Amino acid sequence: KKKSDNKIYVTKCNGLRRLNQEIVTKVFNKEKFDEVEYLKISHFEINKRWLLLRDDKKVLFDKFTHACSDFISNNDAAEDDKIHINRLGHVCDIGNGMVTGLDKAFQISPSGLNERELKSTMRVIKAKSIIPFKNTDFTTYINIEERIDEETLKNDYPNFYLHLQPFKEKLKNRYQYNRVINYWEWVFKRNFSLFSRDEDRIFVPCKDRISCKDYFRFAMVDKTFYPTQDVTGIFKKETTKESLEYILAFLNTRIVFEWLKNYGIVKGSIVEFSQTPVSNIPFRKINWDDEEEVKFHSVITTLIKENIEKPTSTLKEVIDNLFEEFLIRE
């Protein structure tokens, strides 16, 4: 049905409190206040995703994906086929964290452990310990890799044995993944070979609420840290020339936040960071034949290296400004 006005009028109410008569009256009268946004958006177009998003925002995201694209020099190709959007999954290996089946049973203090037990622990980063650019803490987990019986557990790992006893029944009732799993073993060491690479990595909480903040928590962590199921790990592919610092800075930018907020998997103000949605993030590769781009990559890499241990309060703003000029400069 053709309409004379090619716009749809939308009211988005973003408040966390319940709607009441006062809010409804303000909305009815189109009054401006903090919790509401009045939009005019274009109608649905065939084969295009329809979002409750202002047209100028769509133009911004089009520029962003354009900046993250390669162009195929084929005059016979259809226009849409000429554009290849580079994604994070093209330059990084991404994996969801490992599963214990009962985290609190495997968390243990390293104090008082014998030598064999200390060698059978794993340093784990939990989502709560991740802030933008770095982690604040880690948790020690029981991680017995050798195949043993319960008697060996009791004799060789006495502190582990005593620690696990209060959780024994719950551990036995974990989902078994179609095999017999001893109660002192992790149920699913998903992506363990990926997480065992001898290289630093980027971690991000697998889910993050954005109702009260405007940033995500991508952090660079040491190669000795592992993630459990509440964290997703990101590793450079061997063929990727961009530094991990550059990738980290890019992921923590405002434009990536806005893109994920609108084009990612979002449910009730919670953004999902499992393998598929993280792989789908557009990524700005460097043109290594362009001196200005190589210089930009060097500036970003140095900036992160100099601030990774103690990020300054202005680091994110500086990176936002640098990337926005770089990405949306055309």
Side-chain angles (χ1 to χ4, degrees):
K1 183 177 180 179
K2 293 185 178 180
K3 306 176 81 69
S4 57
D5 183 358
N6 197 34
K7 300 293 180 182
I8 297 173
Y9 292 81
V10 178
T11 301
K12 290 177 71 175
C13 194
N14 303 311
L16 295 177
R17 58 192 173 100
R18 291 184 180 182
L19 289 176
N20 56 31
Q21 186 60 48
E22 180 186 3
I23 293 177
V24 172
T25 301
K26 286 183 178 181
V27 168
F28 183 79
N29 295 322
K30 295 250 183 315
E31 295 180 31
K32 292 184 178 180
F33 59 103
D34 290 342
E35 298 175 351
V36 76
E37 186 178 6
Y38 302 106
L39 311 176
K40 283 200 306 182
I41 66 175
S42 298
H43 282 264
F44 171 79
E45 295 180 61
I46 292 175
N47 296 326
K48 289 189 178 181
R49 187 172 181 179
W50 189 69
L51 298 171
L52 299 181
L53 193 63
R54 295 199 319 262
D55 288 353
D56 61 326
K57 282 280 190 180
K58 289 181 182 177
V59 171
L60 174 66
F61 291 134
D62 285 344
K63 288 183 177 180
F64 172 56
T65 53
H66 183 277
C68 297
S69 302
D70 293 330
F71 290 84
I72 302 169
S73 57
N74 181 357
N75 294 329
D76 297 326
E79 189 64 32
D80 287 345
D81 293 336
K82 293 181 182 179
I83 300 174
H84 172 261
I85 300 175
N86 294 306
R87 308 276 181 183
L88 191 66
H90 297 151
V91 296
C92 290
D93 295 319
I94 300 158
N96 300 326
M98 302 182 295
V99 182
T100 64
L102 186 63
D103 268 18
K104 62 181 179 181
F106 288 83
Q107 295 172 357
I108 193 169
S109 169
S111 176
L113 300 182
N114 64 38
E115 186 176 348
R116 184 187 292 268
E117 289 170 331
L118 285 172
K119 289 180 179 178
S120 297
T121 58
M122 176 185 289
R123 302 203 304 171
V124 168
I125 301 290
K126 302 292 292 177
K128 64 181 180 180
S129 299
I130 295 176
I131 61 174
F133 302 106
K134 62 176 292 185
N135 65 291
T136 59
D137 199 2
F138 68 90
T139 305
T140 302
Y141 272 56
I142 293 171
N143 177 45
I144 303 173
E145 296 190 23
E146 63 174 332
R147 298 294 297 177
I148 60 172
D149 55 26
E150 189 169 15
E151 190 64 26
T152 304
L153 173 70
K154 189 174 182 179
N155 293 330
D156 293 351
Y157 304 89
N159 295 295
F160 286 179
Y161 177 81
L162 291 174
H163 175 82
L164 290 168
Q165 293 316 296
F167 306 103
K168 187 173 181 178
E169 290 306 313
K170 286 186 177 181
L171 289 167
K172 285 184 174 181
N173 290 325
R174 295 172 297 172
Y175 182 69
Q176 296 288 302
Y177 291 88
N178 296 318
R179 59 190 178 89
V180 177
I181 301 174
N182 294 313
Y183 69 85
W184 56 87
E185 297 173 339
W186 293 47
V187 294
F188 187 19
K189 283 193 172 178
R190 177 174 52 189
N191 298 311
F192 181 71
S193 59
L194 174 65
F195 302 139
S196 297
R197 284 190 191 176
D198 187 26
E199 61 189 84
D200 292 344
R201 61 282 314 266
I202 295 172
F203 282 176
V204 62
C206 68
K207 293 183 179 180
D208 214 354
R209 183 179 295 277
I210 58 170
S211 53
C212 299
K213 64 184 179 191
D214 60 355
Y215 61 87
F216 291 128
R217 296 178 287 155
F218 290 94
M220 183 185 294
V221 302
D222 185 83
K223 60 186 179 182
T224 58
F225 292 122
Y226 289 76
T228 50
Q229 66 267 27
D230 63 342
V231 170
T232 298
I234 303 169
F235 296 74
K236 277 180 53 176
K237 289 183 181 292
E238 289 186 7
T239 54
T240 299
K241 292 183 66 176
E242 287 79 7
S243 68
L244 194 64
E245 289 83 3
Y246 172 86
I247 297 170
L248 175 71
F250 175 84
L251 291 173
N252 276 312
T253 57
R254 180 166 45 234
I255 186 65
V256 169
F257 173 86
E258 291 291 339
W259 188 90
L260 281 166
K261 180 180 175 181
N262 290 281
Y263 290 87
I265 298 178
V266 186
K267 300 175 183 177
S269 296
I270 296 177
V271 182
E272 183 177 322
F273 290 94
S274 57
Q275 182 175 356
T276 299
V278 172
S279 298
N280 198 41
I281 298 171
F283 179 72
R284 179 53 161 90
K285 297 178 71 174
I286 294 295
N287 179 0
W288 298 100
D289 295 324
D290 186 318
E291 289 185 9
E292 288 300 313
E293 293 203 10
V294 174
K295 182 179 178 181
F296 176 79
H297 177 270
S298 177
V299 167
I300 294 296
T301 299
T302 301
L303 187 63
I304 294 298
K305 283 182 176 179
E306 290 177 349
N307 289 275
I308 195 68
E309 288 302 319
K310 294 182 179 180
T312 62
S313 58
T314 59
L315 177 61
K316 188 178 184 315
E317 182 181 357
V318 170
I319 287 172
D320 279 337
N321 293 335
L322 287 171
F323 266 103
E324 284 182 15
E325 183 179 349
F326 179 62
L327 294 170
I328 319 295
R329 67 188 188 276
E330 298 176 2

